[in-house]
Amino acid sequence: MIDDFAKEYLHSDLREIREAVLWKLDGLGEYDIRRPLTSTGTNLLGLVKHLSIWESRYFGEVFDRPFPEPLPRWDDAGEPGGDMWATEHETREEIIDLYRRVWEHSDKTITDLAIDSPGYVPWWPRPNVRLFNILVHILTETSRHAGHADILREQLDESTGTTAQYATPQRDAAFWAAQCAKIERAAKAAVTRLDHAGPHDTTL
């Protein structure tokens, strides 16, 4: 009984966070979903592409249930990191549709197998795993990238949260300007305090 509960609990959370990742693209133009927003090139559509490829592998070949479509290689020597960004020939619709097809394939694996079903991850130091391990891993990874997407989207138009219900900041611009100023003052004051503290200051 507890195994069924644990599997459904993890699976439910995974379904929700997948949708949150896709929602981060809503309402944005082609340039904004593709352009690099960090010094290492992190971008919104690339995160979706990356998650598609890796979820397909973890719930596919790890359990000898390979995803039935060809996918770009994550380790292509001619295009390192190619799973993290979309080319001009890859459309938003294609990548989103792929992710949703991966969900269907993954969901069937999760539904069909018991939570202690064995799998094999050849690129892990301890390759023998159970479905439980992979559920936790993919939920963690998807949540981590959803957090990345949240920050990227906030940079673009100040939208935050996991659904449209929470997209608009609940405070006005003046509130957030004051909040940032307060945090900035605290950061500077902390540095000043540390700069003036002696090596044996026990109040820190």
Side-chain angles (χ1 to χ4, degrees):
M1 181 67 71
I2 189 65
D3 287 351
D4 291 339
F5 171 79
K7 185 172 81 165
E8 180 51 38
Y9 188 91
L10 293 169
H11 195 183
S12 177
D13 279 2
L14 178 59
R15 291 189 189 102
E16 289 181 11
I17 202 64
R18 287 166 172 164
E19 294 287 357
V21 169
L22 286 188
W23 174 71
K24 294 299 174 183
L25 305 179
D26 284 2
L28 293 179
E30 287 300 314
Y31 177 63
D32 280 341
I33 64 172
R34 296 166 180 270
R35 65 187 175 106
L37 293 165
T38 72
S39 60
T40 57
T42 308
N43 61 94
L44 288 166
L45 192 58
L47 288 175
V48 176
K49 180 179 176 181
H50 172 76
L51 286 168
S52 301
I53 293 171
W54 281 100
E55 183 171 323
S56 75
R57 297 197 73 206
Y58 275 108
F59 286 117
E61 61 192 78
V62 165
F63 297 100
D64 198 25
R65 299 163 65 99
F67 186 68
E69 302 175 33
L71 290 170
R73 292 287 296 181
W74 75 97
D75 59 353
D76 185 347
E79 193 62 75
D83 63 319
M84 294 296 295
W85 59 280
T87 72
E88 65 269 31
H89 304 296
E90 293 176 305
T91 70
R92 176 200 310 240
E93 291 74 22
E94 288 170 349
I95 291 175
I96 290 174
D97 287 348
L98 171 62
Y99 195 25
R100 291 193 180 279
R101 292 195 302 277
V102 167
W103 297 357
E104 292 178 8
H105 184 262
S106 299
D107 289 347
K108 184 160 177 41
T109 294
I110 295 167
T111 301
D112 289 352
L113 300 183
I115 198 167
D116 62 349
S117 295
Y120 188 79
V121 187
W123 55 91
W124 280 13
R126 290 182 291 180
N128 294 300
V129 297
R130 304 287 179 180
L131 179 64
F132 172 79
N133 303 110
I134 300 305
L135 263 169
V136 171
H137 179 73
I138 292 299
L139 176 58
T140 300
E141 283 297 292
T142 306
S143 298
R144 185 169 72 93
H145 289 311
H148 296 155
D150 202 34
I151 296 297
L152 298 183
R153 183 65 189 258
E154 185 177 356
Q155 289 181 45
L156 291 170
D157 65 0
E158 300 181 358
S159 294
T160 60
T162 56
T163 66
Q165 177 183 357
Y166 304 109
T168 304
Q170 302 302 302
R171 310 275 191 165
D172 62 19
F175 170 86
W176 290 115
Q179 182 78 350
C180 287
K182 178 170 64 176
I183 297 169
E184 178 73 16
R185 288 193 300 272
K188 288 180 176 178
V191 172
T192 300
R193 179 169 176 252
L194 290 170
D195 286 345
H196 289 86
H200 305 294
D201 191 338
T202 59
T203 64
L204 297 179

